[in-house]
Amino acid sequence: MNMQDLISNPKTSIVDVREVGEFMQGHYEGAINIPLGTIPNQLEKFKAMDGPIIVYCRSGNRSGLAQTMLKQMGYQEVYNGGALQDMLVYSNN
C-alpha cells in the first residue's frame, strides 16, 4: 500500500514522534504527538489505534526508530512516513 492510500484511510493514525516543542511549532494536520522517548509509556494510546499507524519526525530517523520499536512490540502495520515535509507532500498528491 502506498503512503497516499494509507493517509487517506480513515482508520490510519498519524503519530508525530518529535518532542512537544517541535510539534507545537507545526505538525501534520490530525497528527497526535507521542515523542519517541515516551512510546513505552504510551502503549494504551497505541492499543486504541485500530488501523495502520504512520510515524514521522523531522528527518525520518526518529520515526524509523519508532517504527522498529512498535514492530518489536507486536504492531504489524507501522509505516515510516519520514519527515514532516514528506508527509505534507504525500497529502498534497
Side-chain angles (χ1 to χ4, degrees):
M1 184 174 285
N2 71 41
M3 196 59 67
Q4 281 127 344
D5 291 341
L6 284 168
I7 289 171
S8 64
N9 179 346
K11 289 189 174 245
T12 298
S13 297
I14 300 175
V15 180
D16 185 324
V17 298
R18 298 175 301 156
E19 294 301 315
V20 174
E22 294 173 283
F23 183 79
M24 298 302 284
Q25 291 175 4
H27 56 270
Y28 186 84
E29 186 177 342
I32 62 169
N33 184 219
I34 304 176
L36 177 65
T38 69
I39 287 175
N41 302 325
Q42 302 288 333
L43 294 181
E44 290 304 314
K45 289 183 181 177
F46 287 101
K47 287 178 185 172
M49 298 175 189
D50 62 351
I53 301 169
I54 298 174
V55 290
Y56 76 88
C57 61
R58 183 183 55 80
S59 67
N61 289 333
R62 285 177 281 181
S63 54
L65 293 171
Q67 179 187 31
T68 299
M69 189 183 306
L70 289 166
K71 285 195 171 212
Q72 288 174 344
M73 292 177 185
Y75 294 91
Q76 299 299 313
E77 285 193 279
V78 183
Y79 302 90
N80 185 351
L84 171 58
Q85 295 303 326
D86 296 330
M87 291 294 295
L88 296 173
V89 169
Y90 293 137
S91 67
N92 289 328
N93 286 334

